[in-house]
């Protein structure tokens, strides 16, 4: 199924609709199952959403929250996605939510995989909502082009929900080994939302939609598949 594209006149309009969409999906799962899960994206754009959710009147005590990927740094480190989510989302009413980290006490990312898998297994699944961003190189979560182990992260038939990421040429602003959810895990969701803002990113998005090679642009594993409903939210 093709990803649906939703275009907004302004970022204000986008975030207002995005807030209501996420909360609607969480409420739907809470009503149906009594529990719900939210997968949060890192990055500068998704982080703008989280304070808008934190005061929502939903049953946060029965909501589980995690991140789509994590740098293997201490949870108090400024590069930690966990730190960002705790400071920006898990406040006010949302402080009652249950957070599941994507790191373990193991500092070697490959050694951490098993512990992180066990943590994710405690979350209600399928996830109610998975939020994703997209880099200018077409990466999403920490599924990067050029990762020598990328195939394992994109394999739709894998049994693994996470994989270690050790890049030969990591981003200069975050040169850390990582743990990422696999494409299979990211798509195990009632709704996947890809959040894109700016004309530069729209150009990248158009190129991703037009092509097929997922190793070139891993976001294509999300945009071109028939396992999950995907909506792309874009604003200038």
């Amino acid at each position: 199924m093709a990803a649906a594209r939703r275009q907004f006149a302004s970022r204000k309009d986008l975030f207002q609709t995005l807030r209501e969409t996420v909360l609607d999906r969480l409420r739907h799962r809470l009503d149906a199952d009594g529990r719900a899960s939210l997968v949060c994206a890192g990055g500068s754009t998704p982080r703008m959403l989280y304070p808008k959710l934190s005061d929502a009147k939903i049953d946060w005590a029965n909501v589980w929250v995690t991140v789509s990927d994590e740098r293997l740094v201490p949870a108090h480190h400024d590069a930690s996605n966990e730190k960002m989510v705790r400071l920006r989302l898990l406040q006010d009413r949302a402080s009652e939510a249950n957070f599941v980290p994507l790191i373990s006490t193991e500092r070697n990312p490959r050694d951490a995989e098993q512990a992180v898998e066990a943590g994710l297994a405690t979350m209600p699944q399928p996830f109610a909502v998975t939020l994703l961003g997209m880099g200018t190189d077409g990466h999403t979560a920490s599924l990067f082009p050029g990762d020598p182990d990328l195939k394992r992260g994109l394999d739709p038939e894998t049994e693994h929900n996470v994989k270690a990421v050790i890049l030969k040429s990591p981003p200069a602003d975050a040169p850390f080994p990582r743990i990422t959810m696999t494409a299979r895990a990211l798509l195990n969701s009632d709704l996947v939302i890809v959040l894109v803002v700016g004309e530069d990113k729209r150009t990248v998005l158009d190129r991703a939609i037009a092509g097929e090679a997922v190793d070139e642009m891993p976001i294509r594993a999300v945009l071109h598949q028939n396992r999950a409903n995907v909506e792309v939210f874009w604003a200038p």
Side-chain angles (χ1 to χ4, degrees):
M1 67 186 75
R5 296 181 66 168
R6 304 182 65 175
Q7 300 191 33
F8 299 86
S10 69
R11 297 185 189 188
K12 179 180 179 181
D13 292 343
L14 181 154
F15 281 112
Q16 180 59 39
T17 301
L18 181 57
R19 177 184 186 272
E20 296 309 315
T21 300
V22 170
L23 292 176
D24 180 69
R25 291 289 177 157
L26 289 174
R27 290 188 181 106
H28 178 78
R29 271 289 165 187
L30 287 167
D31 289 344
D33 301 335
R35 306 194 307 163
S37 292
L38 171 64
V39 178
C40 294
S44 58
T45 302
R47 67 184 291 154
M48 302 303 294
L49 168 69
Y50 303 137
K52 303 177 188 301
L53 296 172
S54 62
D55 64 347
K57 294 181 179 180
I58 65 171
D59 183 12
W60 285 108
N62 283 302
V63 173
W64 274 252
V65 177
T66 193
V67 290
S68 61
D69 64 315
E70 185 60 276
R71 293 83 177 255
L72 288 190
V73 296
H76 58 78
H77 195 288
D78 286 344
S80 166
N81 283 334
E82 175 178 342
K83 178 179 179 179
M84 182 270 292
V85 169
R86 288 189 182 278
L87 290 178
R88 299 189 67 83
L89 173 60
L90 303 183
Q91 303 290 324
D92 301 323
R93 292 186 175 93
S95 64
E96 296 184 0
N98 308 278
F99 186 80
V100 177
L102 225 66
I103 59 173
S104 77
T105 56
E106 299 287 351
R107 298 266 55 92
N108 182 301
R110 298 196 190 283
D111 293 340
E113 286 183 1
Q114 186 174 357
V116 174
E117 288 268 10
L120 285 182
T122 68
M123 298 182 68
Q125 297 183 39
F127 307 122
V129 186
T130 295
L131 295 168
L132 294 174
M134 180 191 69
T136 55
D137 61 353
H139 85 265
T140 192
S142 280
L143 297 169
F144 284 92
D147 176 2
D149 194 33
L150 179 62
K151 184 177 180 180
R152 188 162 66 98
L154 297 179
D155 180 1
E157 303 304 325
T158 183
E159 296 180 356
H160 299 289
N161 290 311
V162 300
K163 81 171 214 66
V165 181
I166 305 174
L167 300 173
K168 293 181 179 179
S169 300
D173 60 342
F176 310 104
R178 301 159 181 251
I179 289 282
T180 187
M181 293 176 67
T182 60
R184 171 192 178 278
L186 295 172
L187 294 170
N188 182 26
S189 184
D190 295 338
L191 176 64
V192 178
I193 298 175
V194 181
L195 182 56
V196 181
V197 298
E199 293 295 341
D200 290 348
K201 287 286 185 76
R202 183 166 71 170
T203 299
V204 176
L205 176 66
D206 290 342
R207 185 159 63 90
I209 290 174
E212 297 182 358
V214 294
D215 57 335
E216 179 186 61
M217 301 182 77
I219 188 64
R220 288 172 175 155
V222 175
L223 298 174
H224 302 322
Q225 47 76 41
N226 58 8
R227 295 186 176 222
N229 291 320
V230 178
E231 295 185 1
V232 179
F233 278 54
W234 177 85

